[in-house]
Amino acid sequence: MERSRRQLSSLFSSGGTFRGDTSGGCGLVAGNRGTNSANAPWGWDDQNDGPILRGEIAKDPAKLAAYYFSPSSQLSTTHTFNPFQNIGDPNQP
């Protein structure tokens, strides 16, 4: 998504959280829903993943992998392609 559109109040309720409503059912149980509960990749957050900040799941997946998998010293955190950091060419194999 174009960065200039990330602040559209008609699309987002807050930074990285899509605007939504509470009409209809959601999931397996009707009525089990939240208002404005879907997030764009830069708004993803597990909230239980230690030092991984909101949005880093998409912006820095190598950091997430190094945190979850041990020993992290054996994992490279250098990205060869990451569109959230403008690293690499999406047209290259």
Side-chain angles (χ1 to χ4, degrees):
M1 173 176 289
E2 188 179 318
R3 287 187 189 272
S4 64
R5 295 183 182 179
R6 290 184 182 181
Q7 302 305 320
L8 285 176
S9 61
S10 61
L11 183 58
F12 295 101
S13 65
S14 62
T17 301
F18 290 110
R19 181 167 300 288
D21 63 28
T22 58
S23 61
C26 181
L28 298 175
V29 180
N32 197 14
R33 62 198 178 274
T35 301
N36 304 328
S37 58
N39 291 307
W42 58 91
W44 291 341
D45 190 357
D46 279 350
Q47 299 180 12
N48 65 348
D49 51 13
I52 310 304
L53 303 175
R54 187 172 196 242
E56 284 187 319
I57 293 171
K59 293 178 191 174
D60 195 354
K63 180 179 176 182
L64 178 75
Y67 175 74
Y68 275 120
F69 301 104
S70 181
S72 62
S73 62
Q74 295 180 0
L75 293 174
S76 172
T77 55
T78 302
H79 294 93
T80 57
F81 177 72
N82 186 324
F84 294 101
Q85 294 185 17
N86 295 320
I87 296 173
D89 183 350
N91 297 313
Q92 294 297 315

